[in-house]
Amino acid sequence: MVYEFGARLLQLRKAKNLTQQALVDRAKALDPDLHLSDSALGKYEGDHSVPRLAEAAALAEVLGVSLDFLTSGETSRTLPLKGLNETQIQLLLELVQSFRQQNASASNDTQQTKPTPEQAALIARLIQEILH
């Protein structure tokens, strides 16, 4: 169930200094086929209705939050991958996994600040990818 969706949507929109129409326009710039209007947005913000998944995803993207955060308040961060090729995405995923493994094996008091050799190799591959 979506709790406090409307209040969160309203707060995020106001934090970005967007009018309802400006938010709608930016979302429709991502996908012109969205069923979205300023009156529909007002209904979402007032918790009188909830958007379809496509509309919610576009709103989340414009507002710079994850769909999880928009719908449920989950505070996990997301990394937009739009515009990256598969090699770049795979390199980022490998680096993230390496950091997770490092963090899981280290205690909170002794976490390394230097990259492991595996992380250094991944970072070098990322730099090569950027320079090509």
Side-chain angles (χ1 to χ4, degrees), residues 63-125:
L63 294 168
V65 298
S66 70
L67 190 54
D68 286 343
F69 181 79
L70 182 60
T71 58
S72 65
E74 284 291 318
T75 57
S76 62
R77 294 183 176 177
T78 62
L79 181 63
L81 301 177
K82 186 180 274 185
L84 299 180
N85 66 38
E86 280 302 314
T87 301
Q88 294 163 337
I89 292 170
Q90 188 58 41
L91 286 169
L92 289 172
L93 291 173
E94 289 174 26
L95 186 58
V96 167
Q97 182 60 32
S98 176
F99 282 135
R100 284 187 181 134
Q101 289 171 348
Q102 177 183 347
N103 291 344
S105 65
S107 70
N108 288 338
D109 298 329
T110 62
Q111 286 192 4
Q112 293 180 345
T113 56
K114 292 182 180 180
T116 65
E118 178 187 65
Q119 291 165 345
L122 286 168
I123 291 168
R125 288 175 52 204

Side-chain angles (χ1 to χ4, degrees), residues 5-7 9-10 13-14 18-25 27 35-51 55-56 58-60 63 70:
F5 174 82
L9 178 60
L10 177 64
R13 178 178 62 79
K14 287 188 173 190
L18 295 172
T19 64
Q20 288 180 336
Q21 189 60 54
L23 178 55
V24 166
D25 291 344
H35 300 290
L36 196 55
S37 65
D38 59 336
S39 64
L41 191 61
K43 289 179 183 176
Y44 305 153
E45 290 178 350
D47 282 324
H48 301 294
S49 66
V50 294
E55 282 76 23
L59 292 169
L63 294 168
L70 182 60

